[in-house]
Amino acid sequence: MKKDEILSRRQIEALIAEGQSIIIVDQKVLRVDAWIPYHPGGYKAIQHVVGKDATDEFSVFHCDETRKMIGRYQIGRIEGRWKPFVPPIQGGIFRPHDEKVNEHESPLEEANEPAPSSPMVEPKHTNPDIIHNRQTKLNHAEATFLDTQTKTEITLTLSQYPSLDPKTQSTIITKYRDLHAQIQREGLYTCNYTAYVWELARCTILFCLMLVFLKHEYYKTSAVCLGWFWSQMVFAAHDAGHIAITQNFTIDSLIGMTIAGPIGGLSLGWWKQSHNIHHIVTNAPEHDPDNQHLPFLAVNHRFLSSVFSTYHERTLPYSRLARSLVPYQAYLYYIILLFGRFNLYLQSWLFLYKAQGPRKGQAKWHRSFEIFGNILFWLWFGYGLLYKSLPNASSRLSYLLISHMATMPLHVQFTVSHFAMSTTDLGPGESFAQRMLRTTMDVDCPEWLDWFHGGLQFQAVHHLYPRIPRHNLRRAQGLVVGFCREVGIPYALYGFARGNAKVVGGLAEVARQAAILEECRRVIVGRGLL
C-alpha cells in the first residue's frame, strides 16, 4: 500500500478483521502493530482506539518526539469525517475482505455485546430440572432489573449532554482542537519549574520532620509525616508519568520512576499502563481498571451482574463476599480507602513480576530500574526504618499502618472526581472531549489549597489535556469553562465536601439497587423451594 492511497471504510474493516491494529490520526491510516511492543503505555491502550479516529487521544497524550514517529506506520489516508468502529476489545465485529457485502448495505458500526453473566445461586435441590428452572427465572429477573437501570441511566445522560449526531460531535471536536491550539499559544504546556522548588521544599520538610519525630520516639507523628510525604511526592510522579514536567519522555520517566520506586515502593510502569487506559475509556465498567473494585465496591449497578473486565481479562464476579459488602459500601468507602496503598504495592509487584511492561525500545530498561528501586525502598523503609529504628513488633505494625493510612486523602482525591460521574457507554460516536467531561468532575477549592490537592482537583481539565503541567491547570480551567459554555457540555464543578457527598450518595444508590436485587433473589429462590 502507498502512504497516500485513499482507503475505503470497507478496506480498513477488512484489515482489522485480519487482526491488524489500525487507527486513524490526522486523516492518516496507521498500522501500529510494530509499535505495540515498544509502547510504554501498554498494548491495551492502543486496542481501545483500533478502528477509531484517535487524533485527539494521540495528540494530547504524546510528546513531540512521539508524534513525529507516526509517518513510519502510515499505510494510507481517508477522506472526510471518519465514522468510528467499535474496537474489537470492546466487542466490535469486523467482516473479512472475502465476505460478500451488498454495495447498498451500510457498514457494520455497532458491537454485538454478549449479555452479562449472572451470579449463580447455590442450589439446595438436587433435581437438575428444578435447579435450571429456578436459575433461569433468577437470571431473567436480574437481567430485567439491571437492564431497566441501564436504560434509565442512558436516557438521563442523553437528556443532559449534546446530541450524538455527527454534526454536533464534529462541532465539538473542531472547537476542542481550537482550544488545544489556544492552550499551546498561551504557553500552558511550559512547566513552571519555580513551583517545583516549593514542592521539593515542602517534601523535604515533611521527610525531615519524619526523621526528627522518629529520633525522639514520637512514632505515630513520624508515621503521619511519612504518609504525607509520600502523598506529596505522588503528585510529582503523576506529572512525570504524563510527561508534564520536561515534556521529554526519558527524563520524565526517570523522575517518575525514581519517585515511585526507591522513594515510594511502587511501579510507575504499572501505573502508566493502568492509568492510560483509564484516560481513554474513563468510567466504563467493563474497561476502566480504576472503576473495578469488586468485591469491595460496586460503583455502578452493572457490577451487580458480574461484568467481564477487558483490562484484567477475566470476569469480575459478584460473589458472596461482594453481596455481603456492597450493601454497606457507602459506610465502608473511607475505611477501604485507608488500605489503598497496600493494593498499589500488590499491583506494582504483579506488574514487575509478570514483566508486563515494554521489553523493547527506549523503555526496555524500565523494569530493571523499577525492580532495583523497589529493593532500595524496602531496604530503607522495611529494614532501616521499620526493623532497625523501631523497638518492637507492636510499634512496627503501628508505624506501618499509620504511615499508610495517612495517605487516605490521596485515594479520596483519586476517586472523588469519577465515582459520582456518568458510567454510561454512549458508543464510539461520542467525541473524546464530551466523554471526558461527562465522566469527570473538578473540585472547587481556593488557590492557597492547591498544594493539598496536587492538581487532582482539576481532573476534568487534566483529562482533556493530560500533559499540561499541574501548576498551569488553574489557568487552563477558565478556557475549558468557556469551551463548555460554547458547545453546551455541562462542566461539573463541586466543592470537596459536596463532591464527597455525591460519591457516597452514588455508592448508597448502588447499594440500594443491590438490596433490591437480593430481595428479588430471595423471593425467586423461595418460590423454587415450594
Side-chain angles (χ1 to χ4, degrees):
M1 293 181 181
K2 296 181 180 180
K3 288 188 175 183
D4 291 327
E5 179 183 352
I6 302 299
L7 298 181
S8 69
R9 182 180 178 81
R10 186 69 188 90
Q11 287 175 296
I12 293 173
E13 181 185 1
L15 292 174
I16 298 174
E18 293 171 3
Q20 299 185 34
S21 299
I22 306 295
I23 64 175
I24 313 296
V25 175
D26 291 327
Q27 301 295 103
K28 299 173 183 177
V29 181
L30 309 181
R31 179 168 53 207
V32 296
D33 299 271
W35 185 33
I36 287 177
Y38 300 86
H39 189 227
Y43 66 93
K44 286 183 180 176
I46 296 176
Q47 288 182 330
H48 280 289
V49 293
V50 168
K52 300 176 67 175
D53 184 337
T55 301
D56 293 328
E57 292 91 330
F58 185 81
S59 297
V60 299
F61 277 107
H62 298 94
C63 57
D64 291 339
E65 58 181 311
T66 303
R67 293 198 299 272
K68 292 175 182 177
M69 293 168 46
I70 66 172
R72 69 181 70 172
Y73 303 105
Q74 184 178 349
I75 61 172
R77 299 182 61 85
I78 62 167
E79 288 183 327
R81 181 182 185 274
W82 178 253
K83 203 168 188 177
F85 288 109
V86 175
I89 192 174
Q90 297 179 13
I93 299 174
F94 296 81
R95 298 163 297 183
H97 181 73
D98 56 1
E99 182 176 320
K100 293 182 179 180
V101 180
N102 187 315
E103 63 179 6
H104 299 295
E105 180 182 351
S106 61
L108 184 62
E109 296 164 6
E110 301 298 331
N112 295 324
E113 299 181 1
S117 57
S118 299
M120 298 296 291
V121 176
E122 183 178 349
K124 296 184 179 180
H125 287 286
T126 56
N127 186 322
D129 292 331
I130 295 176
I131 295 172
H132 175 74
N133 182 56
R134 188 167 69 245
Q135 188 60 53
T136 300
K137 291 180 180 178
L138 182 61
N139 289 350
H140 177 72
E142 288 180 343
T144 300
F145 174 76
L146 296 174
D147 284 348
T148 300
Q149 298 300 317
T150 300
K151 290 175 182 177
T152 301
E153 184 181 55
I154 291 174
T155 300
L156 179 62
T157 302
L158 290 174
S159 69
Q160 294 175 333
Y161 287 86
S163 169
L164 297 179
D165 69 85
K167 183 178 179 181
T168 300
Q169 293 301 309
S170 290
T171 300
I172 292 173
I173 291 170
T174 299
K175 292 186 180 298
Y176 171 65
R177 294 175 184 175
D178 290 343
L179 176 59
H180 190 201
Q182 182 180 357
I183 285 172
Q184 290 175 311
R185 287 194 304 270
E186 295 193 12
L188 295 185
Y189 278 112
T190 302
C191 182
N192 178 6
Y193 292 110
T194 303
Y196 278 103
V197 174
W198 293 109
E199 300 291 346
L200 180 60
R202 184 184 305 114
C203 292
T204 302
I205 290 171
L206 284 170
F207 193 79
C208 290
L209 285 173
M210 179 271 291
L211 293 175
V212 169
F213 286 122
L214 181 67
K215 181 180 179 180
H216 291 86
E217 300 183 2
Y218 291 98
Y219 297 135
K220 293 180 175 62
T221 308
S222 173
V224 170
C225 289
L226 180 58
W228 290 351
F229 165 77
W230 280 333
S231 295
Q232 289 294 311
M233 293 300 292
V234 162
F235 297 144
H238 179 263
D239 298 341
H242 279 292
I243 324 176
I245 299 178
T246 69
Q247 303 288 318
N248 179 281
F249 170 77
T250 301
I251 297 175
D252 278 6
S253 295
L254 191 59
I255 294 171
M257 288 187 297
T258 300
I259 294 172
I263 294 177
L266 306 173
S267 166
L268 185 77
W270 160 74
W271 176 84
K272 289 184 71 170
Q273 180 174 268
S274 169
H275 195 67
N276 286 345
I277 295 172
H278 160 70
H279 267 266
I280 292 172
V281 286
T282 309
N283 264 18
E286 298 82 4
H287 312 301
D288 183 357
D290 285 10
N291 241 15
Q292 299 171 349
H293 303 290
L294 285 176
F296 303 104
L297 297 171
V299 300
N300 180 267
H301 66 272
R302 296 211 290 283
F303 287 106
L304 306 181
S305 63
S306 300
V307 303
F308 181 84
S309 166
T310 58
Y311 177 79
H312 295 290
E313 297 182 348
R314 60 179 176 85
T315 297
L316 304 178
Y318 187 56
S319 60
R320 284 185 174 182
L321 178 59
R323 293 202 298 271
S324 300
L325 294 176
V326 168
Y328 306 100
Q329 63 181 5
Y331 305 100
L332 297 174
Y333 170 61
Y334 295 109
I335 297 174
I336 291 170
L337 293 187
L338 286 171
F339 300 92
R341 189 171 181 85
F342 293 102
N343 178 57
L344 301 185
Y345 288 142
L346 176 61
Q347 299 303 325
S348 295
W349 296 338
L350 288 174
F351 174 83
L352 295 174
Y353 173 75
K354 296 179 180 180
Q356 294 177 329
R359 304 185 187 184
K360 298 180 180 180
Q362 57 181 333
K364 66 181 179 182
W365 56 277
H366 287 189
R367 178 171 181 258
S368 299
F369 185 90
E370 292 203 290
I371 290 175
F372 179 69
N374 274 262
I375 292 173
L376 286 180
F377 171 80
W378 286 106
L379 283 174
W380 78 259
F381 174 69
Y383 179 75
L385 198 160
L386 288 181
Y387 182 71
K388 296 293 289 183
S389 302
L390 298 173
N392 51 53
S394 162
S395 62
R396 290 169 191 146
L397 179 61
S398 173
Y399 197 101
L400 176 71
L401 291 176
I402 292 174
S403 63
H404 286 57
M405 289 178 176
T407 66
M408 189 266 276
L410 177 67
H411 300 285
V412 173
Q413 290 165 326
F414 282 143
T415 58
V416 71
S417 293
H418 298 292
F419 276 16
M421 297 302 288
S422 171
T423 59
T424 306
D425 182 5
L426 297 183
E430 183 180 29
S431 63
F432 173 74
Q434 179 167 312
R435 180 176 183 89
M436 294 304 103
L437 290 164
R438 180 173 59 80
T439 56
T440 314
M441 76 162 70
D442 276 353
V443 173
D444 192 20
C445 77
E447 189 171 354
W448 64 271
L449 260 182
D450 283 354
W451 66 271
F452 174 76
H453 294 281
L456 299 182
Q457 74 274 37
F458 301 115
Q459 279 289 290
V461 182
H462 169 67
H463 267 251
L464 291 175
Y465 302 105
R467 289 185 299 107
I468 293 181
R470 66 173 144 123
H471 302 103
N472 294 339
L473 288 173
R474 184 173 286 276
R475 288 167 57 197
Q477 183 185 42
L479 300 177
V480 169
V481 170
F483 162 76
C484 289
R485 289 199 191 103
E486 190 174 2
V487 298
I489 298 178
Y491 171 64
L493 178 66
Y494 297 93
F496 190 62
R498 189 180 172 201
N500 274 265
K502 280 185 66 65
V503 170
V504 173
L507 292 174
E509 174 60 20
V510 177
R512 185 186 68 83
Q513 294 166 351
I516 294 173
L517 205 58
E518 283 303 303
E519 180 63 26
C520 174
R521 177 188 296 274
R522 283 192 291 269
V523 168
I524 292 175
V525 171
R527 289 176 179 175
L529 294 174
L530 295 176

Short mmCIF file of all heavy atoms in Angstrom, two decimals, residues 51 57 68 87 99 126 135 139 141 253 266 292 295 299 329 342 366 368 371 395 407 433 455 479:
data_model
loop_
_atom_site.label_atom_id
_atom_site.label_comp_id
_atom_site.label_asym_id
_atom_site.label_seq_id
_atom_site.Cartn_x
_atom_site.Cartn_y
_atom_site.Cartn_z
N GLY A 51 -9.71 1.09 15.02
CA GLY A 51 -10.91 1.36 14.23
C GLY A 51 -11.51 2.72 14.47
O GLY A 51 -12.57 3.04 13.92
N GLU A 57 -6.87 11.74 21.11
CA GLU A 57 -6.17 10.95 22.12
C GLU A 57 -4.66 10.97 21.87
O GLU A 57 -3.86 11.19 22.79
CB GLU A 57 -6.67 9.51 22.14
CG GLU A 57 -8.10 9.35 22.63
CD GLU A 57 -9.13 9.41 21.52
OE1 GLU A 57 -8.87 10.09 20.52
OE2 GLU A 57 -10.19 8.77 21.66
N LYS A 68 6.12 12.73 16.07
CA LYS A 68 6.87 12.77 14.81
C LYS A 68 7.09 11.38 14.22
O LYS A 68 7.50 11.26 13.06
CB LYS A 68 8.22 13.45 15.04
CG LYS A 68 8.12 14.94 15.36
CD LYS A 68 9.49 15.52 15.70
CE LYS A 68 9.38 17.00 16.06
NZ LYS A 68 10.69 17.57 16.47
N PRO A 87 -14.12 -0.84 18.75
CA PRO A 87 -12.88 -1.62 18.73
C PRO A 87 -13.13 -3.09 19.07
O PRO A 87 -14.04 -3.41 19.85
CB PRO A 87 -12.02 -0.95 19.81
CG PRO A 87 -12.56 0.44 19.91
CD PRO A 87 -14.04 0.31 19.66
N GLU A 99 -15.63 -11.63 2.51
CA GLU A 99 -17.06 -11.73 2.78
C GLU A 99 -17.83 -10.80 1.86
O GLU A 99 -17.56 -9.61 1.78
CB GLU A 99 -17.36 -11.38 4.25
CG GLU A 99 -18.83 -11.52 4.61
CD GLU A 99 -19.07 -11.27 6.08
OE1 GLU A 99 -18.25 -11.72 6.89
OE2 GLU A 99 -20.08 -10.62 6.42
N THR A 126 -31.39 -31.19 44.48
CA THR A 126 -30.51 -31.98 43.63
C THR A 126 -31.12 -32.24 42.27
O THR A 126 -30.45 -32.71 41.38
CB THR A 126 -30.18 -33.32 44.30
OG1 THR A 126 -31.41 -33.99 44.60
CG2 THR A 126 -29.40 -33.09 45.59
N GLN A 135 -32.82 -21.14 38.26
CA GLN A 135 -31.73 -20.26 37.81
C GLN A 135 -32.16 -19.43 36.60
O GLN A 135 -31.80 -18.27 36.48
CB GLN A 135 -30.49 -21.10 37.45
CG GLN A 135 -29.25 -20.27 37.16
CD GLN A 135 -28.86 -19.44 38.37
OE1 GLN A 135 -28.71 -19.96 39.47
NE2 GLN A 135 -28.71 -18.15 38.17
N ASN A 139 -31.98 -15.49 36.59
CA ASN A 139 -31.22 -14.73 35.60
C ASN A 139 -32.10 -13.73 34.87
O ASN A 139 -31.69 -12.59 34.63
CB ASN A 139 -30.58 -15.69 34.58
CG ASN A 139 -29.44 -16.49 35.19
OD1 ASN A 139 -29.00 -16.22 36.29
ND2 ASN A 139 -28.98 -17.49 34.45
N ALA A 141 -34.93 -12.35 35.92
CA ALA A 141 -35.35 -11.28 36.82
C ALA A 141 -34.21 -10.28 37.05
O ALA A 141 -34.41 -9.07 37.03
CB ALA A 141 -35.80 -11.86 38.16
N SER A 253 10.29 10.07 32.63
CA SER A 253 10.17 8.68 33.09
C SER A 253 11.16 8.41 34.22
O SER A 253 10.83 7.74 35.21
CB SER A 253 10.43 7.71 31.93
OG SER A 253 9.43 7.82 30.95
N LEU A 266 6.65 1.72 44.65
CA LEU A 266 5.62 1.42 43.67
C LEU A 266 6.22 1.35 42.27
O LEU A 266 7.41 1.64 42.08
CB LEU A 266 4.51 2.47 43.72
CG LEU A 266 3.86 2.69 45.09
CD1 LEU A 266 2.89 3.87 45.04
CD2 LEU A 266 3.16 1.43 45.57
N GLN A 292 -12.96 -0.71 38.75
CA GLN A 292 -13.19 -2.13 39.02
C GLN A 292 -12.64 -2.50 40.38
O GLN A 292 -11.44 -2.80 40.51
CB GLN A 292 -12.57 -2.97 37.89
CG GLN A 292 -13.19 -2.65 36.54
CD GLN A 292 -12.46 -3.29 35.37
OE1 GLN A 292 -11.36 -3.83 35.51
NE2 GLN A 292 -13.08 -3.23 34.18
N PRO A 295 -14.39 -7.32 45.19
CA PRO A 295 -15.70 -7.43 45.85
C PRO A 295 -16.00 -6.30 46.84
O PRO A 295 -17.02 -6.34 47.53
CB PRO A 295 -15.59 -8.75 46.59
CG PRO A 295 -14.14 -8.82 46.98
CD PRO A 295 -13.39 -8.19 45.83
N VAL A 299 -19.28 0.55 41.87
CA VAL A 299 -19.58 1.97 41.64
C VAL A 299 -20.70 2.15 40.63
O VAL A 299 -21.12 3.29 40.38
CB VAL A 299 -18.32 2.74 41.18
CG1 VAL A 299 -17.25 2.65 42.25
CG2 VAL A 299 -17.79 2.21 39.86
N GLN A 329 -21.48 -0.45 51.26
CA GLN A 329 -20.30 0.20 50.72
C GLN A 329 -20.24 1.70 51.02
O GLN A 329 -19.14 2.27 51.13
CB GLN A 329 -20.20 -0.04 49.22
CG GLN A 329 -21.33 0.53 48.39
CD GLN A 329 -21.13 0.22 46.91
OE1 GLN A 329 -20.23 -0.49 46.51
NE2 GLN A 329 -22.01 0.77 46.09
N PHE A 342 -1.78 -0.41 50.13
CA PHE A 342 -1.39 -1.82 50.08
C PHE A 342 -1.77 -2.45 48.73
O PHE A 342 -1.05 -3.29 48.20
CB PHE A 342 -2.02 -2.59 51.24
CG PHE A 342 -1.49 -2.18 52.58
CD1 PHE A 342 -2.24 -1.35 53.40
CD2 PHE A 342 -0.25 -2.60 53.01
CE1 PHE A 342 -1.76 -0.96 54.64
CE2 PHE A 342 0.24 -2.22 54.26
CZ PHE A 342 -0.51 -1.39 55.07
N HIS A 366 13.21 -0.01 31.80
CA HIS A 366 12.39 0.48 32.91
C HIS A 366 12.15 -0.59 33.97
O HIS A 366 12.18 -0.31 35.17
CB HIS A 366 11.06 1.00 32.39
CG HIS A 366 11.17 2.31 31.67
ND1 HIS A 366 10.07 3.05 31.28
CD2 HIS A 366 12.25 3.03 31.26
CE1 HIS A 366 10.48 4.16 30.67
NE2 HIS A 366 11.78 4.15 30.64
N SER A 368 13.95 -3.23 34.92
CA SER A 368 15.13 -3.46 35.77
C SER A 368 15.33 -2.30 36.73
O SER A 368 15.64 -2.50 37.92
CB SER A 368 16.37 -3.64 34.90
OG SER A 368 16.23 -4.75 34.04
N ILE A 371 12.62 -2.56 39.49
CA ILE A 371 12.88 -3.65 40.44
C ILE A 371 13.98 -3.23 41.42
O ILE A 371 13.85 -3.42 42.64
CB ILE A 371 13.27 -4.94 39.69
CG1 ILE A 371 12.06 -5.51 38.94
CG2 ILE A 371 13.82 -5.98 40.66
CD1 ILE A 371 12.38 -6.70 38.07
N SER A 395 5.17 -1.60 67.76
CA SER A 395 5.43 -0.27 67.21
C SER A 395 5.65 -0.33 65.71
O SER A 395 5.31 0.60 64.98
CB SER A 395 6.64 0.36 67.90
OG SER A 395 7.81 -0.42 67.69
N THR A 407 -2.15 8.28 53.99
CA THR A 407 -2.26 8.61 52.56
C THR A 407 -3.71 8.52 52.07
O THR A 407 -3.97 8.73 50.89
CB THR A 407 -1.39 7.67 51.70
OG1 THR A 407 -1.90 6.33 51.77
CG2 THR A 407 0.05 7.67 52.17
N ALA A 433 -13.68 14.66 23.82
CA ALA A 433 -13.87 15.77 24.75
C ALA A 433 -15.15 15.61 25.55
O ALA A 433 -15.18 15.82 26.78
CB ALA A 433 -13.88 17.09 24.00
N GLY A 455 -3.13 19.24 42.12
CA GLY A 455 -3.57 19.25 40.73
C GLY A 455 -4.70 18.30 40.44
O GLY A 455 -5.35 18.39 39.39
N LEU A 479 -10.30 28.56 30.42
CA LEU A 479 -10.50 28.31 28.99
C LEU A 479 -11.45 27.14 28.76
O LEU A 479 -12.29 27.18 27.86
CB LEU A 479 -9.15 28.03 28.32
CG LEU A 479 -8.11 29.16 28.41
CD1 LEU A 479 -6.80 28.71 27.76
CD2 LEU A 479 -8.63 30.42 27.74
#
